[in-house]
Amino acid sequence: MTDATGAELLNSLLTPTDRLSVEEGELVVDGHKASELLAEFGSPLFVLSAGVFVDNLRRIRSAFSANWPEPVSVLYAIKTNNNLAVRALMSANGAGGDAFSEGELDATIRTGTDMSKVVINGSDKSDGVIRTAVRHGACINFDCAEDAERTSAIAAAEGVRARVLVRLRLTLDDADAGSEDYPAVEKLRNYLVRDQVGLSAESAAEIVPRVLKDPNLELIGYHFHQGRQSRELAHFQWWAKSLGRTVGRLADLTGFQPQVIDTGGGYPRQRDTEMLVGERMNPLTIEEYGAGICEGLIAGLTEGGVPIPELWIEPGRFISGNSGVLLATVGTVKSDQGSTWVNVDASINNLPRVDNRSFKYVLLPATRMDEQPTDRVNVVGALCTGAHFASDLAFPPTERGDAVAFLDAGMYAEVGQNQYNAVPRPATVMVLDGEPVVVKRRETLDDVFAAHQVPEGLKNHSLSAR
């Protein structure tokens, strides 16, 4: 059995919103050949597709709206890709925002986002981020009693009433209670113990009455974020039903009926780069996850006699993942002792989750897509470390100047980049209305050292021996 060509591999991995194709043996990204993009904008190069971002936003919104009887709002999780052009595109298409830091909140504000649909998360919020959120009308997710006290004081000083959600967490008791719905819940016990965010129902029951009585605070609902722990549908149905039951229990204890429930993010994608267990292609669609989550949450709320509130969701990776491709150029190709190494000018500086989260990117021979693989190669980056992008990869004959492409580089790539070995970070272009435009310029060596300072006289200073 022969290995698949790049074109055959791509065709087997395409998802409904991808804008990838092959023309004349070359990868085409949203209407533009890889080689032409590199020739015009330099290498390596992040290429984003505005159309894919918007298609993904609309798709996940529809997946939940179709199964939820009240309004559904999508709050884009900027942590996955914080390009200002991306955030502006999300704002223009009706997405609110999930921000964690003062920087993420600033980016969300400056790009015209509807601040009534923006939340600020974090287990240790600074006074600065709370103050900015209060001034601009963002919703603050309370993670502890101290959040309530500090936000109240800041809101009073600002002369406004702060909108807030109480962030909930599931506990081992919830896991035990839900084991019939989701027998594999036992695998999550360590996560439930170690995760620092959110409040148990018991702790929330102590805070909610205090918040309701505080004239500086307006409690509108609850927040929850389980994150990406599994792609099993039963897992999502379990936590959704458990969350609904918890809200019902809190209604009994406090009398509070939420106007909003925010279920956070972590929704799996179909081409699974980030949590590769079994087959790369996830057999489930976002429509199936949306239906399962809504069904479970409605069931849990109904059990507790809680009216169905507005639903907020905070997707990041689902929207940004396949919206970006990283293009790179082949340099030295070396063979020795039965192994071949293909060096490229990108590195784990640009895709750090290869190293710290074991992401498995699809790597394509962008300018040799129709050629049959004949070699087994190790693809490595331009750093002094030995980290591999891919090992023992079936690849066609490759030489200096060829282009390669890493799919699904729209998420957790640019935001996590560093400058190890003093390597400047690449440019980013976005294909907008059919044309590629620069949305982040390529760094220079001056940029790498821009924040450094050498004290006066240090160059001529010699420390005496002790």
Side-chain angles (χ1 to χ4, degrees):
M1 182 176 178
T2 58
D3 291 306
T5 65
E8 292 167 341
L9 177 61
L10 176 64
N11 285 334
S12 71
L13 298 174
L14 286 174
T15 67
T17 59
D18 284 326
R19 297 195 179 194
L20 303 169
S21 59
V22 178
E23 293 179 11
E24 299 175 342
E26 186 167 344
L27 179 68
V28 177
V29 183
D30 203 352
H32 299 270
K33 288 185 176 180
S35 63
E36 294 173 353
L37 289 166
L38 290 172
E40 182 174 356
F41 299 104
S43 182
L45 180 70
F46 284 101
V47 183
L48 306 178
S49 171
V52 177
F53 274 104
V54 173
D55 287 348
N56 288 341
L57 169 61
R58 291 172 177 167
R59 186 179 177 194
I60 194 168
R61 182 188 286 143
S62 296
F64 282 81
S65 295
N67 297 283
W68 194 259
E70 296 299 323
V72 174
S73 295
V74 177
L75 283 55
Y76 172 64
I78 194 174
K79 63 187 174 185
T80 60
N81 190 311
N82 65 8
N83 272 292
L84 292 182
V86 171
R87 181 57 266 187
L89 180 68
M90 293 291 97
S91 301
N93 284 274
D98 154 38
F100 186 88
S101 67
E102 198 161 2
E104 290 185 347
L105 184 56
D106 179 74
T108 302
I109 293 168
R110 69 168 65 191
T111 48
T113 310
D114 176 0
M115 297 305 293
S116 71
K117 296 296 171 61
V118 172
V119 295
I120 184 74
N121 285 302
S123 60
D124 186 27
K125 305 173 190 71
S126 69
D127 285 351
V129 79
I130 294 173
R131 186 172 295 105
T132 302
V134 167
R135 286 176 176 173
H136 290 272
C139 190
I140 301 168
N141 289 339
F142 284 174
D143 202 73
C144 59
E146 184 184 338
D147 277 353
E149 296 162 4
R150 292 169 60 222
T151 301
S152 178
I154 291 171
E158 294 292 326
V160 297
R161 195 171 184 216
R163 298 164 61 248
V164 303
L165 297 169
V166 169
R167 182 165 184 167
L168 302 176
R169 62 179 291 153
L170 298 182
T171 65
L172 296 179
D173 289 341
D174 297 311
D176 292 337
S179 59
E180 184 175 333
D181 294 327
Y182 180 49
V185 73
E186 180 64 29
K187 295 187 294 186
L188 293 168
R189 292 178 72 87
N190 287 338
Y191 170 80
L192 294 174
V193 169
R194 73 175 187 270
D195 189 38
Q196 79 271 24
V197 296
L199 293 160
S200 65
E202 291 71 25
S203 295
E206 295 177 6
I207 291 176
V208 166
R210 291 161 52 188
V211 174
L212 290 172
K213 292 176 183 176
D214 194 317
N216 303 312
L217 304 175
E218 180 188 3
L219 178 62
I220 63 171
Y222 293 109
H223 177 273
F224 174 80
H225 175 73
Q226 181 69 32
R228 177 70 195 276
Q229 303 301 316
S230 170
R231 71 183 190 190
E232 294 179 53
L233 181 58
H235 164 72
F236 290 85
Q237 293 171 312
W238 164 72
W239 68 244
K241 190 171 185 179
S242 297
L243 174 61
R245 288 169 169 165
T246 299
V247 172
R249 193 155 72 249
L250 283 168
D252 289 339
L253 293 170
T254 67
F256 174 65
Q257 303 280 4
Q259 304 168 42
V260 172
I261 289 182
D262 181 341
T263 57
Y267 307 108
R269 304 178 313 110
Q270 284 177 263
R271 189 170 51 243
D272 203 353
T273 297
E274 57 272 36
M275 201 172 194
L276 188 55
V277 178
E279 295 296 321
R280 179 181 292 278
M281 296 302 287
N282 182 357
L284 297 171
T285 66
I286 193 61
E287 288 75 18
E288 291 170 292
Y289 287 114
I293 291 168
C294 291
E295 178 185 353
L297 186 53
I298 289 172
L301 292 171
T302 302
E303 280 185 24
V306 177
I308 305 303
E310 184 176 342
L311 180 66
W312 292 0
I313 57 175
E314 300 174 10
R317 72 186 73 205
F318 183 85
I319 292 174
S320 60
N322 70 322
S323 301
V325 173
L326 175 61
L327 300 178
T329 302
V330 172
T332 299
V333 179
K334 181 178 80 172
S335 295
D336 193 11
Q337 293 187 312
S339 294
T340 298
W341 294 269
V342 175
N343 289 264
V344 299
D345 59 2
S347 71
I348 57 170
N349 280 5
N350 315 121
L351 298 175
R353 290 208 168 189
V354 169
D355 216 27
N356 60 33
R357 290 293 184 92
S358 301
F359 273 27
K360 305 294 184 185
Y361 289 94
V362 176
L363 202 168
L364 298 173
T367 46
R368 296 179 181 266
M369 292 291 286
D370 288 336
E371 296 187 26
Q372 196 68 45
T374 57
D375 305 322
R376 311 296 296 193
V377 304
N378 306 304
V379 181
V380 298
L383 297 179
C384 68
T385 64
H388 288 194
F389 284 126
S391 300
D392 196 35
L393 178 68
F395 226 57
T398 302
E399 61 186 34
R400 179 178 290 274
D402 286 346
V404 298
F406 299 87
L407 305 189
D408 304 299
M411 61 178 188
Y412 297 118
E414 291 182 79
V415 291
Q417 287 187 102
N418 60 70
Q419 299 163 325
Y420 183 61
N421 281 158
V423 179
R425 288 171 287 206
T428 303
V429 299
M430 176 184 283
V431 180
L432 183 63
D433 296 327
E435 294 301 322
V437 293
V438 175
V439 295
K440 187 188 293 179
R441 67 169 175 81
R442 187 175 304 279
E443 287 185 342
T444 66
L445 290 177
D446 284 341
D447 293 321
V448 173
F449 297 107
H452 296 227
Q453 298 184 54
V454 179
E456 189 67 31
L458 184 62
K459 293 179 181 178
N460 301 316
H461 187 70
S462 177
L463 292 176
S464 14
R466 290 187 176 181

